[in-house]
Amino acid sequence: MNDKPSVLRPTDDEARQLARQLMSEAPWVALAVLEPATGWPSISRTIIALDEDGVPFILVSALAAHTGALKTDGRCSFLVGEPGKGDPLAYPRLSVQAQAEQFTREHPHFSALRTRFLARHSKAQLYIDLPDFYFFRLMPQSGSLNGGFGKAFRLEGQDLVCRA
């Protein structure tokens, strides 16, 4: 029998708020996908924005390796949180498991996503309208929040978004 207390704290509104804040302030994420040919995890960096419900989405090129991986298997995860000076593990960070949904130019929400993305990343104006670029919405399924020493939380997908 295991009598060890859990290192996880009960999820509360403060944890939910910190997790949402980390996502909303992140200009980029480390995105992990599963390589279709090998099944091995692969990580890349991509810029993100949030839709009106607080769901992260990314702009991708059809030429990027992570795009093919997301089209084959939409399961992915991403990491947000910036370390500062000193111990990088002392700073809050959030790892999110998500399901990716592709939004091509024909999708009814593409225009709204485009507007939100450019408001966040104005330099994307240079390539956002190229024909091989489109969006993937990364719907959170669960998350692991480390808010600093002794502040670990497990979050559900609905904890990470704010329905408009």
Side-chain angles (χ1 to χ4, degrees):
M1 198 170 211
N2 187 358
D3 292 335
K4 280 180 147 181
S6 174
V7 297
L8 296 176
R9 290 186 175 187
T11 302
D12 57 17
D13 287 339
E14 186 177 331
R16 289 180 191 94
Q17 179 59 35
L18 177 57
R20 292 174 186 158
Q21 178 184 343
L22 286 168
M23 284 198 313
S24 71
E25 292 176 354
W28 60 272
V29 298
L31 176 71
V33 297
L34 297 172
E35 284 291 328
T38 65
W40 282 91
S42 177
I43 295 179
S44 60
R45 182 176 295 157
T46 186
I47 55 179
I48 69 162
L50 301 181
D51 71 10
E52 64 185 12
D53 291 329
V55 176
F57 65 99
I58 59 175
L59 177 68
V60 298
S61 165
L63 302 175
H66 54 258
T67 302
L70 290 173
K71 287 172 113 176
T72 301
D73 185 339
R75 292 176 300 161
C76 61
S77 61
F78 60 88
L79 174 68
V80 297
E82 286 288 324
K85 291 186 177 186
D87 184 355
L89 300 181
Y91 292 88
R93 59 211 177 268
L94 173 69
S95 178
V96 177
Q97 294 75 44
Q99 182 66 41
E101 175 188 6
Q102 184 179 351
F103 281 30
T104 62
R105 296 186 188 291
E106 295 75 32
H107 195 284
H109 297 297
F110 187 90
S111 180
L113 292 179
R114 182 185 182 281
T115 299
R116 291 183 75 89
F117 200 84
L118 288 174
R120 183 78 189 268
H121 301 285
S122 59
K123 290 184 180 182
Q125 183 70 49
L126 298 171
Y127 49 84
I128 197 168
D129 293 321
L130 294 175
D132 68 315
F133 278 81
Y134 41 88
F135 296 114
F136 275 98
R137 190 171 183 238
L138 306 178
M139 180 55 78
Q141 304 298 301
S142 63
S144 177
L145 172 66
N146 187 317
F149 184 76
K151 296 180 182 175
F153 303 89
R154 183 77 179 150
L155 298 119
E156 299 299 323
Q158 64 266 19
D159 293 325
L160 299 170
V161 297
C162 302
R163 296 284 180 213

